[in-house]
């Protein structure tokens, strides 16, 4: 296999930019109209994902070992989209047709064979990872919606119970799909430590112009079912018993995974009488969106917990005002602690830069870094669903 | 055209076996030459059919093994299964139109929400200012007529306070309904027609099984459990 030829040809194709995925998907759907159902109406979010990821992987196929974990994760992730082995050959055929279209006379028999072989390798890794995962876990979990409690105009707390056992650790995230918005998956974090009765709490904030969050907050009903993907992520996970002191900085419903970690620490404190010092800064634009302030204020009765509410858009708020990241950085509470940050992408970016410029070592700063955050997902495994994101 | 009809259950005779078949002699039998001639022609037919069948099978295999869309540079394998580039372009255009419509609708909804929030902020600020002014006026009143308040009594300007309170309440209700109406519009974005398998697109009725609205501040649903027992005491005193 001539990997240099693969890379060169991909570089030529990539020059056509958005035309490439457009051609690819049109070709795929014309060849196999039944596949169109697996994708949302608007394909714009899809664009650079499938072809981009495939192109990058396939043209780096000589370093397959480096990208194997990523490819395996992709394969597992795609189970919840009902992707099965036969789809891979259809995708492969359209990929080759796309390459041929954009390469024109540069498309030779040898190049075609190399691309087919490289794609075959990647598809095999994905299929095998998916099949292995299928032995231990379902492709998705069906969960019953138990209640939707609307806390503010914008925020609802949703309780669900998966129909099969669902194992996660505090701080992880879960892909979530409601039948009200089929094929639009969003990531949410369980806001609780695992419970005896297997129920999970999600915090959902309406995103302006968002298609999913509004439906969840306004239209979902107890008794509905939703689908959950497998739990992922370890950036906001705290090892049980870890006594490292923490500063937590949350924007809006970015509170959810941090609340789960707090509950985990509190359980340890109740059982063993030991917990790290934790200072939580929770930021919102307006005071009433500090939707969990009652519980958090109660929690300050714990000797290890401190809570600072921060409001950015209401000059009459009596407490801390400004961006939560700036307030946290100025407080110097981060000294000697490790930081956990969760919120909208802009909030996380600005908080990380505030903390580092205040002098916090970046190794001590933790926030969600999804493998696909660089846009490498086949489907978008991560369409950010934190408050303040685009949909 | 030679038709190959397999003989069900029959043991197939090769052309050679037919051609050189031997028969025992009988009196008043058929003319041997005629029989031989006939057998030879049958054998030829079988041979021709076999050849044709082999050729067809090879052709099928060849087509099956040719990747459908991976023809050579000259397009030697461009068969009728080929997806026409013109069709791809048309399909792409349609998809782009759909994408643009959804994006515009989302942007429109977002703009409206942002506007509504700005208005909300403004109204709240006005209410705050009105309240501050009312409070200051009340203080002045008290200061200029200390005897009226018997020295220790509040002298709240009831109408102003009531006005501000009502104003704030009305503003809140209005904002809530504006936000709900907007989110409802956004909800409809998800109700675009779905393509059924190979069928024509059909329009689903607008959100038939969705409630038109949910009460905003209804009582919280009964707790399914106490998720996090804050009042619990540690079972052991805190270490160290």
């Amino acid at each position: 296999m001539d990997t240099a030829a693969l890379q060169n040809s991909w570089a030529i194709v990539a020059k056509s930019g958005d035309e490439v995925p457009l051609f690819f998907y049109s070709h795929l759907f014309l060849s196999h109209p039944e596949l169109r159902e697996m994708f949302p109406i608007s394909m714009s979010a899809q664009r650079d994902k499938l072809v981009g990821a495939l192109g990058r992987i396939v043209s780096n196929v000589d370093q397959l070992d480096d990208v194997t974990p990523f490819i395996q994760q992709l394969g597992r992730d795609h189970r919840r989209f009902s992707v099965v082995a036969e789809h891979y050959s259809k995708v492969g055929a359209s990929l080759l047709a796309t390459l041929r279209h954009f390469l024109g006379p540069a498309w030779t028999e040898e190049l075609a064979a190399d691309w087919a072989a490289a794609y075959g390798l990647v598809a095999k890794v994905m299929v095998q990872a998916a099949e292995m995962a299928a032995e231990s876990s379902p492709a998705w979990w069906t969960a019953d919606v138990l209640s939707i409690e609307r806390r503010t105009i914008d925020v609802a707390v949703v309780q669900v119970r998966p129909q099969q056992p669902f194992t996660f650790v505090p701080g992880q995230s879960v892909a979530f799909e409601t039948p009200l918005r089929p094929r639009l998956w969003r990531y949410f974090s369980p806001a609780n430590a695992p419970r005896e009765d297997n129920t999970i709490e999600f915090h959902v904030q309406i995103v302006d112009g968002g298609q999913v969050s509004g439906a969840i907050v306004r239209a979902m009903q107890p008794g509905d079912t939703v689908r959950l993907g497998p739990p992922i992520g370890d950036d906001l996970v705290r090892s049980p018993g870890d006594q490292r002191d923490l500063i937590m900085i949350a924007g809006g419903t970015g509170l959810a995974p941090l609340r789960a970690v707090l509950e985990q620490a509190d359980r340890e404190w109740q059982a063993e009488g030991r917990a790290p010092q934790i200072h939580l800064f929770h930021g919102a634009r307006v005071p009433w969106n500090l939707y969990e302030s009652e519980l958090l204020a109660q929690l300050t009765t714990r000797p290890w917990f401190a809570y600072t509410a921060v409001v950015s858009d209401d000059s009459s708020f009596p407490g801390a005002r400004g961006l939560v990241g700036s307030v946290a950085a100025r407080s110097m509470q981060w000294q000697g602690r490790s930081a956990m940050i969760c919120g909208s992408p802009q909030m996380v970016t600005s908080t990380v830069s505030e903390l580092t410029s205040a002098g916090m070592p970046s190794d001590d700063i933790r926030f969600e870094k999804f493998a696909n955050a660089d846009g490498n997902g086949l489907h978008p495994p991560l369409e950010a669903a934190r408050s303040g994101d685009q949909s | 055209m030679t038709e190959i009809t397999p003989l069900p259950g029959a043991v197939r005779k090769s052309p050679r076996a037919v051609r050189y078949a031997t028969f025992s002699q009988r009196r008043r039998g058929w003319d041997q030459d005629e029989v031989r001639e006939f057998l030879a022609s049958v054998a030829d037919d079988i041979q021709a059919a076999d050849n044709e069948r082999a050729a067809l099978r090879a052709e099928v295999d060849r087509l099956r093994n040719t990747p459908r869309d991976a023809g050579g540079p000259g397009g030697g394998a461009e068969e009728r299964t080929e997806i026409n580039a013109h069709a791809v372009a048309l399909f792409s255009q349609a998809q782009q139109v759909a994408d643009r419509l959804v994006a515009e609708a989302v942007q429109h909804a977002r703009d409206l929400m942002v506007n509504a929030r700005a208005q909300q902020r403004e109204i709240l600020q006005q209410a705050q200012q009105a309240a501050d002014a009312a409070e200051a006026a009340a203080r002045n009143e008290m200061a200029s007529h200390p005897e009226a308040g018997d020295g220790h009594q509040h002298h709240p300007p009831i109408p102003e306070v009531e006005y501000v309170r009502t104003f704030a309440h009305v503003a809140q209700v209005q904002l809530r309904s504006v936000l709900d109406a907007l989110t409802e519009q956004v909800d409809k974005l998800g109700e675009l027609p779905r393509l059924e398998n190979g069928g024509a697109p059909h329009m689903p009725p607008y959100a038939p099984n969705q409630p038109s609205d949910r009460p905003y501040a209804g009582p919280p649903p009964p707790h399914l459990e106490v998720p996090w027992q804050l009042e619990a005491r540690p079972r052991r005193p805190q270490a160290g």
Side-chain angles (χ1 to χ4, degrees):
Chain A
M1 191 185 305
D2 185 350
T3 51
L6 290 180
Q7 284 157 359
N8 292 339
S9 58
W10 181 252
I12 296 171
V13 171
K15 281 186 193 142
S16 298
D18 203 35
E19 292 292 306
V20 180
L22 196 58
F23 184 96
F24 168 82
Y25 280 112
S26 300
H27 190 279
L28 182 66
F29 297 149
L30 281 172
S31 316
H32 305 283
E34 73 279 5
L35 296 187
R36 184 64 184 85
E37 274 292 282
M38 298 169 71
F39 293 84
I41 301 278
S42 170
M43 294 290 294
S44 45
Q46 219 68 33
R47 284 281 193 277
D48 197 31
K49 292 192 167 126
L50 193 144
V51 168
L54 282 181
R56 273 184 287 256
I57 293 169
V58 171
S59 56
N60 291 312
V61 76
D62 53 336
Q63 298 135 30
L64 197 59
D65 283 351
D66 296 348
V67 283
T68 296
F70 169 67
I71 299 170
Q72 288 171 330
Q73 181 60 41
L74 280 182
R76 288 191 291 269
D77 263 352
H78 276 65
R79 295 178 60 218
R80 71 168 194 271
F81 305 117
S82 304
V83 169
V84 295
E86 65 169 284
H87 294 145
Y88 286 91
S89 60
K90 297 174 178 173
V91 165
S94 286
L95 177 69
L96 294 186
T98 304
L99 295 166
R100 188 179 72 200
H101 178 81
F102 286 98
L103 284 171
W107 183 248
T108 62
E109 297 275 5
E110 300 80 59
L111 196 55
D114 281 353
W115 270 100
Y119 174 79
L121 277 178
V122 171
K124 196 172 128 204
V125 172
M126 288 182 72
V127 170
Q128 281 175 347
E131 281 170 354
M132 209 182 295
E135 286 170 17
S136 54
S137 67
W140 63 77
W141 282 258
T142 302
D144 297 309
V145 176
L146 304 175
S147 69
I148 299 124
E149 180 194 346
R150 188 130 169 215
R151 291 276 179 89
T152 75
I153 291 182
D154 294 328
V155 178
V157 172
V158 178
Q159 309 274 352
V160 308
R161 183 190 288 120
Q163 292 172 354
Q164 304 94 20
F166 182 86
T167 311
F168 68 97
V169 294
Q172 285 190 301
S173 303
V174 171
F176 181 108
E177 183 212 43
T178 159
L180 298 168
R181 296 290 176 271
R183 300 179 296 281
L184 294 176
W185 291 78
R186 297 289 186 267
Y187 273 89
F188 293 99
S189 294
N192 58 290
R195 295 170 181 161
E196 295 260 318
D197 66 358
N198 209 21
T199 58
I200 301 174
E201 170 176 329
F202 293 108
H203 296 172
V204 184
Q205 178 156 14
I206 291 186
V207 173
D208 291 352
Q211 294 182 56
V212 176
S213 54
I216 295 175
V217 172
R218 294 185 61 263
M220 208 163 72
Q221 295 280 320
D224 287 356
T225 57
V226 296
R227 294 201 291 165
L228 308 179
I232 61 159
D234 55 8
D235 296 306
L236 299 178
V237 169
R238 166 185 170 273
S239 320
D242 185 349
Q243 294 302 310
R244 178 98 203 257
D245 292 341
L246 289 170
I247 178 172
M248 294 178 166
I249 305 167
T253 46
L255 178 65
L258 305 181
R259 184 190 183 279
V261 174
L262 278 174
E263 188 177 357
Q264 174 198 35
D266 192 48
R267 283 192 194 169
E268 287 174 14
W269 183 68
Q270 290 181 48
E272 299 154 25
R274 257 153 50 91
Q277 291 294 316
I278 302 179
H279 193 137
L280 169 73
F281 291 81
H282 187 205
R285 277 196 310 238
V286 285
W288 57 84
N289 271 354
L290 296 164
Y291 62 94
E292 201 64 313
S293 56
E294 203 174 314
L295 180 140
L296 295 170
Q298 275 179 283
L299 194 65
T300 55
T301 56
R302 302 292 196 242
W304 48 267
F305 181 69
Y307 166 52
T308 302
V310 184
V311 167
S312 61
D313 278 18
D314 184 348
S315 56
S316 67
F317 183 65
R321 290 199 298 273
L323 293 177
V324 63
S326 321
V327 171
R330 275 202 305 274
S331 76
M332 304 305 277
Q333 286 295 313
W334 45 267
Q335 284 177 314
R337 299 178 183 225
S338 82
M340 286 185 175
I341 304 169
C342 192
S344 68
Q346 306 91 299
M347 176 270 173
V348 171
T349 310
S350 98
T351 301
V352 170
S353 93
E354 291 273 2
L355 287 176
T356 45
S357 52
M360 187 165 189
S362 51
D363 284 354
D364 292 337
I365 303 176
R366 300 162 66 185
F367 53 93
E368 287 169 303
K369 294 181 280 285
F370 290 100
N372 325 71
D374 53 358
N376 273 355
L378 277 196
H379 257 271
L382 178 70
E383 291 173 83
R386 303 281 177 226
S387 57
D389 66 5
Q390 69 277 34
S391 51
Chain B
M1 269 292 152
T2 313
E3 290 224 346
I4 305 171
T5 12
L7 301 169
V11 181
R12 220 181 144 274
K13 296 263 188 284
S14 70
R16 188 184 159 79
V18 172
R19 198 182 306 275
Y20 299 110
T22 52
F23 306 90
S24 39
Q25 298 279 344
R26 287 267 193 286
R27 263 198 289 175
R28 299 186 57 216
W30 293 333
D31 181 309
Q32 220 177 47
D33 291 343
E34 278 179 37
V35 170
R36 281 278 152 236
E37 200 176 325
F38 180 73
L39 286 177
S41 87
V42 169
D44 287 348
D45 284 352
I46 294 175
Q47 186 66 54
D50 279 0
N51 291 347
E52 186 173 2
R53 190 159 62 170
L56 286 173
R57 186 173 290 143
E59 177 72 3
V60 166
D61 284 349
R62 192 183 67 78
L63 290 175
R64 218 175 252 156
N65 292 333
T66 308
R68 181 197 290 188
D69 296 308
E78 265 153 48
E79 314 286 339
R80 54 195 177 287
T81 50
E82 186 68 14
I83 300 297
N84 183 301
H86 187 60
V88 171
L90 278 178
F91 193 97
S92 298
Q93 275 175 22
Q95 180 65 52
Q96 281 177 311
V97 169
D99 290 351
R100 202 162 50 237
L101 288 176
V102 171
E104 278 169 10
V106 165
Q107 185 59 45
H108 184 57
R110 191 176 299 160
D111 290 349
L112 289 172
M113 297 282 267
V114 168
N115 259 331
R117 284 190 204 285
Q119 276 181 30
Q120 174 190 36
R121 201 153 46 225
E122 207 170 292
I123 290 168
L124 282 170
Q125 263 165 13
Q126 283 172 10
Q128 181 73 37
Q129 281 160 9
D132 289 349
E135 193 192 353
R139 285 234 178 79
N140 286 342
E141 187 88 354
M142 289 247 287
S144 53
H145 306 290
E147 69 286 359
D150 272 348
H152 66 278
Q153 254 185 318
H154 284 301
H155 191 80
I158 302 291
E160 279 91 339
V161 171
E162 279 309 309
Y163 169 75
V164 169
R165 193 168 286 153
T166 311
F167 182 69
H169 181 72
V170 169
Q172 205 178 2
V173 169
Q174 277 180 349
L175 283 167
R176 205 169 280 162
S177 59
V178 166
L179 278 173
D180 279 353
L182 284 174
T183 27
E184 199 171 329
Q185 289 305 309
V186 175
D187 284 351
K188 288 182 181 166
L189 287 176
E191 300 291 332
L192 290 170
R194 250 178 254 166
L195 284 171
E196 295 303 329
N197 236 356
H202 71 97
M203 289 296 288
Y206 271 145
N209 46 9
Q210 291 171 21
S212 60
D213 201 357
R214 288 174 61 77
Y216 150 63
H223 274 288
L224 302 144
E225 63 154 11
V226 182
W228 189 356
Q229 306 236 350
L230 284 165
E231 55 282 356
R233 296 280 121 211
R235 279 169 221 152
R236 279 193 264 145
Q238 197 183 8

